[in-house]
Amino acid sequence: MEKLQNFINGKYITPISGAYLDNFEPATGKVYSLIPDSDERDVELAVEAAEKAFPIWSKMTIEERSKILVKLSEGIEARMDEFVQAESRDNGKPVSLAGHVDIPRAVSNFHFFATAILHFASESHYMEGQGINYTLRKPIGIVGCISPWNLPLYLFSWKIAPALAAGNCVIAKPSEVTPYTAYLLGQVAKEAGMPDGVLNILHGLGGKVGDAIVKHKKIKAISFTGGTKTGEYLARTAAPMFKKLSLELGGKNPVIIFADCDFNEMLSTTIRSSFANQGQICLCGSRIFIERSIYEKFKTAFVEKVNKTVVSYPQDPNAKMGALVSLPHLEKVLSYVELAKQEGGTVLSGGERVHLEAPYNEGYYMRPTVIEGLSYDCRTNQEEIFGPVVTLTPFDSEEEVMKMVNSTEYGLQTTLWTSNLERAHRIADEAQSGIVWINSWMVRDLRTPFGGVKSSGVGREGGWEALRFFTEPKNVFVKY
Ligand code: NAD
């Protein structure tokens, strides 16, 4: 069985413990590779390598760093099919999705920040008759990047690319549930001419190697995407060490549908915003609020489409949904369907596990699930499920829907469907979330600030926000 390795100091090496963890293929439920069970000793090795590499990398000209990152982006593009197949196999998502979204976006992330850094400027503040302030923006040093399993290379590269572009050395840890494309990335970085020790990729458990990254004194900033509970723990651990922290956490996103929207466009986009990537995108809308006058029309049309959704093995070109990422996750999602029933909900579609034909009969498949009849403040409507489960709730007024929309502890994104311009701007202003999509969903411009409010996180990624996070400003005043 294939054994993945850590990528430290430009080389693939075995973990110091010599121990490995099982890596499951969600499509079949079988173990298909082994990943290093790394610990603090591997982190120490990576930090030593990064310390040596930092003066080399941070003193390179921006053009030189940019060229290497452009090559890295091209290196992934050149191996597109290999990355696409690997991502799909590791995560369970349809090959078509990995090919259209995940890997092209990883290519763009590296290319975007490789070129953004060429245009990144620091500020100066002139003081009339007194002098001038100028701000230096220097790389922080060694930074940690920790990412989740839902969009593996997409989110891994979203952190690593700006960290590297800004001149930092990186200790990165992908999710232990989906390590494979991060494993492949080391080789591409090497081929792109990245100096040894600049990018180090460690595999293993969050509570072990992830924790050791967060606690290491020489790792000065942590960029984390994952669950809110883990984020809370990270904040508790890293804050007393005065580390810079960027936390992108969970969500419970609302979709607000008014009767005056473009019904057909709304309907097809709402299918995607509910079930793309098996509902495992932090930006998926899981609470759908529908103006009462079109509630029945929407419900009938939506459920009809949901019933036609093809759930199949990832290589099936007809698959609209593949497998959920792991058995524990599938069980968690199914337990929320049971909770919804106990809370008085009616399952209109789905709600159960699907067993495909062999060899996929033990894969982690589930029908897309639609539930109605729940109160807006029950647990099903307040807690993050992070799977293919949505609830439908009617509303009568804007005031009523905004109360329900803003009622959760989360605040990542809000989707709104209406043709009333005034109302659109008003709701965009009132929604307690870091992102609002009006008459659209998942349209991403990499220059825009990305992140959430309340328990959905602290800080913003994307564009200058990310480059500011990964640099330390120093103000210098010169007297006239
Ligand atoms: P998770 O919090 O379990 O794990 C995320 C990463 O943190 C993994 O690499 C894991 O190994 C690591 N980790 C776990 N415990 C750790 C610890 N004690 N110290 C250091 N590292 C640790 O999250 P997950 O289950 O992998 O991902 C799903 C969650 O991610 C969902 O809540 C989802 O909403 C969230 N998410 C958020 C965004 C966003 O941009 N806001 C994007 C994608 C996913």
Side-chain angles (χ1 to χ4, degrees), residues 416-427:
L416 168 64
W417 292 94
T418 182
S419 58
N420 179 331
L421 192 62
E422 258 179 63
R423 174 157 63 201
H425 288 301
R426 201 166 47 233
I427 289 184

Side-chain angles (χ1 to χ4, degrees), residues 133-378:
N133 296 273
Y134 61 88
T135 309
L136 296 173
R137 284 205 166 264
K138 310 190 73 167
I140 297 169
I142 307 174
V143 300
C145 296
I146 301 177
S147 59
W149 48 255
N150 64 321
L151 300 166
L153 195 65
Y154 174 132
L155 290 174
F156 196 61
S157 54
W158 183 233
K159 297 181 178 306
I160 291 172
L164 293 172
N168 300 286
C169 289
V170 173
I171 315 287
K173 192 196 98 58
S175 168
E176 60 273 35
V177 185
T178 52
Y180 206 97
T181 47
Y183 164 65
L184 292 177
L185 189 68
Q187 199 183 344
V188 180
K190 181 99 183 164
E191 286 163 9
M194 184 144 309
D196 293 350
V198 172
L199 173 62
N200 303 280
I201 301 167
L202 301 181
H203 298 277
L205 300 170
K208 204 188 245 183
V209 66
D211 199 44
I213 292 173
V214 175
K215 286 181 176 157
H216 200 290
K217 283 201 177 80
K218 290 185 177 166
I219 300 179
K220 298 291 184 199
I222 303 287
S223 173
F224 169 82
T225 300
T228 294
K229 278 227 152 53
T230 317
E232 235 176 85
Y233 172 78
L234 256 69
R236 266 205 310 279
T237 311
M241 299 173 81
F242 305 112
K243 293 191 184 205
K244 242 180 153 177
L245 268 183
S246 166
L247 302 173
E248 300 295 337
L249 311 175
K252 186 74 181 174
N253 307 310
V255 178
I256 313 167
I257 300 170
F258 283 93
D260 64 4
C261 71
D262 176 333
F263 190 85
N264 291 336
E265 199 186 337
M266 174 277 296
L267 189 65
S268 54
T269 306
T270 305
I271 292 283
R272 280 198 306 119
S273 70
S274 303
F275 304 118
N277 205 38
Q278 296 70 248
Q280 304 167 135
I281 304 182
C282 55
L283 302 166
C284 278
S286 57
R287 296 179 293 146
I288 307 179
F289 299 103
I290 308 111
E291 197 167 9
R292 196 176 299 275
S293 60
I294 58 160
Y295 184 82
E296 288 304 323
K297 178 182 172 193
F298 173 81
K299 177 172 124 179
T300 308
F302 187 68
V303 169
E304 195 185 313
K305 263 189 181 288
V306 170
N307 287 342
K308 287 188 191 144
T309 301
V310 178
V311 177
S312 187
Y313 58 96
Q315 285 80 14
D316 182 345
N318 296 319
K320 285 284 177 256
M321 276 176 50
L324 273 69
V325 77
S326 67
L327 187 57
H329 189 60
L330 172 68
E331 285 167 351
K332 176 192 147 183
V333 175
L334 289 169
S335 77
Y336 271 101
V337 178
E338 288 314 305
L339 174 70
K341 288 182 197 159
Q342 286 162 24
E343 289 184 319
T346 306
V347 176
L348 301 172
S349 180
E352 70 282 334
R353 185 173 178 173
V354 175
H355 290 280
L356 302 179
E357 307 235 311
Y360 304 106
N361 48 329
E362 291 308 317
Y364 316 135
Y365 303 93
M366 172 180 178
R367 288 291 315 162
T369 300
V370 186
I371 302 169
E372 71 166 353
L374 290 166
S375 69
Y376 78 93
D377 56 356
C378 68

Side-chain angles (χ1 to χ4, degrees), residues 226-229 231-232 235 246-254 287 289 376 381-382 401-414 429-435 451-460:
T228 294
K229 278 227 152 53
E232 235 176 85
S246 166
L247 302 173
E248 300 295 337
L249 311 175
K252 186 74 181 174
N253 307 310
R287 296 179 293 146
F289 299 103
Y376 78 93
N381 269 328
Q382 293 288 317
V401 77
M402 290 315 288
K403 180 181 162 199
M404 298 193 282
V405 160
N406 288 333
S407 68
T408 72
E409 65 163 312
Y410 296 105
L412 191 53
Q413 80 90 6
T414 302
D429 187 42
E430 277 174 33
Q432 294 171 1
S433 63
I435 297 160
V453 299
K454 302 199 277 189
S455 298
S456 287
V458 181
R460 292 291 180 276

